[in-house]
Structure formats: structure tokens, C-alpha cells
Amino acid sequence: MPHILIIDDDVELSDLLKEVLSFENCAVSVAYDGLSGVEAVDDSVDLILLDVMMPKLNGFETLKQLREKWDVPVLMLTAKGDEIDRVVGLELGADDYLPKPFSERELLARIRAILRRTQVSKGQPQNDFVTYRDIKLYPGRLEAYCNGDLLDLTSTEFALLHYFLLHPGTVLTKEDLSLDVLGKRLAAFDRAIDMHVSNLRKKLPDWPNGKPRIKTLRGRGYLLVEGD
């Protein structure tokens, strides 16, 4: 039974979400402001639904504090059409975003996609690993190393890197990455994949020749490349 924490000051919406998620066999906790939400997180939480506009501590400030200690997946609830909120949330380490108002069906689809990534990892043997050149991943532990140094990745960045390592030298389209990694079809003006790849690229050290490990191919997608 996944444990979902809702951090949203909208009491009516939070209660409705709790009812919907409980019906889907989820354990649900609710915090009505950012400060209480940060304090409510522990090792049992599998996913956080985080609103942007809140008193005391807004969603971005809450996310910053969460990422200082926790890598639990975060689905941000943003204002409809506010692209700036979505981009900022992804830059700060959110796993995905959902514009308000949203349908129950869309919310559950996003939650299932995120939980599917993390739950599959938890079910794998702790010592199994995937390697490519100087990168080593342990899917069962959600740990990634480059040159022996632990990379500070979110669960989505880890899943994205894992996918790249399974397809070295192959051009991966945004459509493929969105569907296979995020679990959703790429929508018009959706910046999620772009932001996740950008964040991942910043955390991966460049090759000794100064070139990035992930190359952007305009109009085609992304490519994991070998160094010279």
C-alpha cells in the first residue's frame, strides 16, 4: 500500500484527494501548509502531492527544503497555464507537474506512472547493477555513481539515466523518453523531459575533453555519447 502525502492549503480539495486515493488502496496523510508538510515526511512516504500556492512556505520553498534531505518523488500541482511555475518546479527537482483543475483520471495516471518507476526499483536485488563506461547504477538502491562518486539524483533523473545507459549511441526522441520514462504521452508545450535532461546533464561530469555526456540533437532528441 503506497503512502502518499498531500501538501495543500485547500482543505476541500485535500479531503477530496484523500478520499479518492484511499479508495485506490493508498495510505494518505495531509498537511495544510509547507512547514507542516516538510515535518510530516519520513521514510514511509512514497510520493508527495505538492501545491505551489500556500501560506507560510510556498511550494517552491517547500520543495527546496524537501530536496535537502529527501529524494521522495514529488508531483507538483500548478496553476493552469502557468508555465513558469512548471519550469521552476522541475528545475528544483520535482518529478512531474499537473495543472489545476485536473481530472481524477489524469491524477491517478500520473501517480501510477511515478510509483511504477520507484516500486519496480525497490523490487530489484540490491546488488544488481548496470554499467556503461565509468557510470554504474544500482536500480534496486536507486544509486548512481560516476568515477566512483555518488550522484545526487532524483528518482526521475535516475530512471532517465538508467534508460540512457540501456540505449547508448541511440537517438532517443522526447516522445520515447516521455512515454517510457515518465509514463505519459508527450503533450504540446510539455517541458518536463527537457528540464529533466537538463538537470541530469548538470549532475553528470563532462568528459575530459569538456564535452557533455548527453548530446542534444535539434528536432530529433537526445543521445548518450562516448568521450574521445
Side-chain angles (χ1 to χ4, degrees), residues 2-205:
H3 179 190
I4 297 177
L5 171 62
I6 301 170
I7 307 177
D8 194 326
D9 65 317
D10 187 330
V11 176
E12 184 176 353
L13 176 61
S14 297
D15 289 346
L16 176 60
L17 293 179
K18 183 176 182 178
E19 182 178 346
V20 169
L21 294 172
S22 296
F23 187 76
E24 294 293 322
N25 296 318
C26 296
V28 184
S29 301
V30 180
Y32 298 107
D33 63 76
L35 288 175
S36 300
V38 172
E39 295 173 354
V41 181
D42 57 30
D43 291 326
S44 72
V45 177
D46 296 296
L47 173 66
I48 296 174
L49 301 183
L50 176 61
D51 186 35
V52 172
M53 300 301 296
M54 293 186 296
K56 297 184 181 179
L57 205 65
N58 66 36
F60 302 133
E61 294 167 334
T62 301
L63 183 56
K64 285 182 183 178
Q65 292 196 19
L66 288 171
R67 284 292 173 251
E68 290 176 359
K69 184 178 180 181
W70 304 99
D71 61 1
V72 58
V74 174
L75 174 59
M76 296 206 75
L77 308 179
T78 67
K80 184 177 182 180
D82 199 336
E83 184 178 353
I84 294 179
D85 280 358
R86 303 176 194 179
V87 171
V88 171
L90 293 169
E91 287 179 336
L92 293 175
D95 292 79
D96 203 353
Y97 57 79
L98 189 60
K100 291 182 176 181
F102 47 79
S103 68
E104 175 183 321
R105 181 179 179 181
E106 179 66 13
L107 173 67
L108 293 176
R110 297 291 182 91
I111 289 175
R112 287 173 184 142
I114 294 174
L115 291 177
R116 191 179 303 120
R117 292 198 300 270
T118 55
Q119 297 302 323
V120 166
S121 296
K122 289 180 180 179
Q124 295 190 23
Q126 296 289 297
N127 293 324
D128 279 6
F129 59 86
V130 176
T131 60
Y132 178 75
R133 300 292 293 269
D134 57 352
I135 300 177
K136 191 171 187 176
L137 269 65
Y138 291 88
R141 307 199 305 245
L142 287 179
E143 291 181 0
Y145 296 83
C146 185
N147 288 318
D149 295 325
L150 179 65
L151 300 175
D152 183 20
L153 305 179
T154 66
S155 59
T156 296
E157 291 162 1
F158 181 92
L160 192 59
L161 179 58
H162 190 186
Y163 194 80
F164 273 115
L165 263 59
L166 295 178
H167 302 84
T170 302
V171 178
L172 302 175
T173 67
K174 295 179 183 179
E175 290 80 5
D176 288 338
L177 291 170
S178 184
L179 188 61
D180 294 341
V181 178
L182 300 187
K184 63 176 183 178
R185 294 188 179 280
L186 185 68
F189 310 111
D190 190 338
R191 296 285 308 281
I193 283 297
D194 295 321
M195 295 308 304
H196 287 309
V197 171
S198 176
N199 291 340
L200 175 60
R201 191 153 39 196
K202 293 174 184 176
K203 296 179 180 181
L204 281 173

